[in-house]
Amino acid sequence: MISVIIPVYNSEEYIEECIQSVLAQNYDDFELIIVDDGSTDDSYFICKKYAEQDDRVKLIKKKNAGVSSARYEGLKIAQGEYITFLDNDDVWLPDFLKFTIEIMNDETDIVVVSSDSVLSENIPSYIESLLYINQKIQIIEEYIGSQAAEEIIDFSRYKISKPLWGKLYRKEFLLNLHLELYANKIPVLFFEDVFALNIILINARKVKFSNEILYIQRILSASQSHSGKLSEFYFNQIDSYALLYTYMEEKSVSKILNKCLNDYDKCLQRIWYKLKHENINRDDILSICSRIDSRYNEYYKKFLHIDTGIIRKVNMFLFKNCRCIWEYTLGFFYFKIISICKRKLVFYSLHKQVFIN
């Protein structure tokens, strides 16, 4: 049996479509575990309706503690041999469960399918285009865990997602990783995409990747994940990247180490700049900035060894040694111009998305 876990928080507009995409699967041996993470809208009552109508649907209500906590609560009660995660505003194509379970075998711990990001209003027509297309040649590639962790960094052949969703996991394998041990250090991220996926992949015996697009990520122009606004998610990254780097250093995975450092440098600069320029009212701003400075000083020499250009190295030097100059030159240029343009380009490309006929 497969246990499907959906963490839910204030998704009354989309949760019904999400649930229906699970119940419409061409595979019946599953349970659907919905974890309401303290929603303040009607999400819980919508989910309750489905739990009352279908014995396969289980509903948990808990205090708000973030998506990691919600996923872990679902994992603790899961009865299936396999686990998969679905975000509360995303949808599956009907073959998601059937396809992933069929290519899972005794030596495989993770199956990864391709996914696509689609603007909310375009999802129905996009799914229709996928359902009626003459499928391309199906490609399934298999890697041992360490290779898979490195491959997913720069996969260009498939539309492989970095988050935890879009994948089928062996439950025993997930539980044996004991990711909950990180909950006190990074409560928002201990079972979340930025931190957990690399640890999960590198410990897998074998991972299978497929070019089949079976997961649709709903994109909302106002969504927090694409707005660039700071949240506890970002503040947890001050420590999560350091934990991930230490873990991967012990595993001696060079490509992941370089990627981790590259992202960590950008992450610390982003948080510091936005704290200064987004009128955020928090009592612990000075404490957060102090943590950023401490981490940057600790990792500065490692950042300098990242394979990057001279401008990036100058950027690092100024951020560490001449913060005021950096703030009104390279910092301003990147966070007030470049990053905004990048987000606009992403949404422009989504609006111009051409569906397959």
Side-chain angles (χ1 to χ4, degrees), residues 230-245:
L230 287 184
S231 65
E232 290 298 330
F233 175 87
Y234 289 101
F235 299 136
N236 265 210
Q237 288 182 10
I238 298 172
D239 295 317
S240 67
Y241 275 114
L243 291 169
L244 182 60
Y245 180 86

Side-chain angles (χ1 to χ4, degrees), residues 107-110 143-148 173 177 198-207:
E107 296 182 349
T108 303
D109 287 322
I110 309 171
Y143 299 89
I144 63 172
S146 58
Q147 291 174 333
F173 160 70
L177 292 177
N198 281 310
I199 293 177
I200 291 172
L201 287 172
I202 201 171
N203 283 287
R205 292 170 300 166
K206 289 186 179 179
V207 182

Side-chain angles (χ1 to χ4, degrees), residues 34-167:
I34 304 173
V35 184
D36 184 89
D37 190 37
S39 294
T40 57
D41 63 2
D42 284 337
S43 295
Y44 173 78
F45 300 103
I46 294 171
C47 297
K48 185 179 179 183
K49 176 184 69 174
Y50 283 94
E52 292 171 346
Q53 294 174 351
D54 195 318
D55 292 339
R56 296 173 298 177
V57 181
K58 301 176 183 178
L59 178 60
I60 302 172
K61 187 174 180 62
K62 60 185 287 294
K63 291 182 179 180
N64 179 254
V67 66
S68 284
S69 174
R71 282 176 175 159
Y72 185 61
E73 286 300 313
L75 181 62
K76 287 195 294 186
I77 69 162
Q79 298 298 307
E81 183 181 358
Y82 303 98
I83 302 290
T84 187
F85 301 103
L86 176 61
D87 276 5
N88 62 189
D89 52 358
D90 296 342
V91 295
W92 283 342
L93 268 71
D95 286 334
F96 180 90
L97 291 179
K98 183 174 184 290
F99 179 85
T100 53
I101 197 66
E102 284 181 350
I103 64 173
M104 176 73 77
N105 60 34
D106 291 341
E107 296 182 349
T108 303
D109 287 322
I110 309 171
V111 172
V112 183
V113 300
S114 294
S115 59
D116 212 352
S117 300
V118 182
L119 285 176
S120 183
E121 59 268 27
N122 293 339
I123 286 179
S125 55
Y126 185 74
I127 290 179
E128 185 177 355
S129 74
L130 286 177
L131 290 174
Y132 290 98
I133 184 180
N134 291 321
Q135 291 290 333
K136 299 178 181 178
I137 296 174
Q138 185 182 104
I139 302 173
I140 299 174
E141 296 189 69
E142 185 176 75
Y143 299 89
I144 63 172
S146 58
Q147 291 174 333
E150 291 190 337
E151 283 290 337
I152 205 168
I153 291 174
D154 52 10
F155 247 141
S156 58
R157 297 187 297 284
Y158 313 145
K159 294 183 176 183
I160 298 298
S161 69
K162 302 300 190 296
L164 292 180
W165 44 254
K167 301 161 184 69

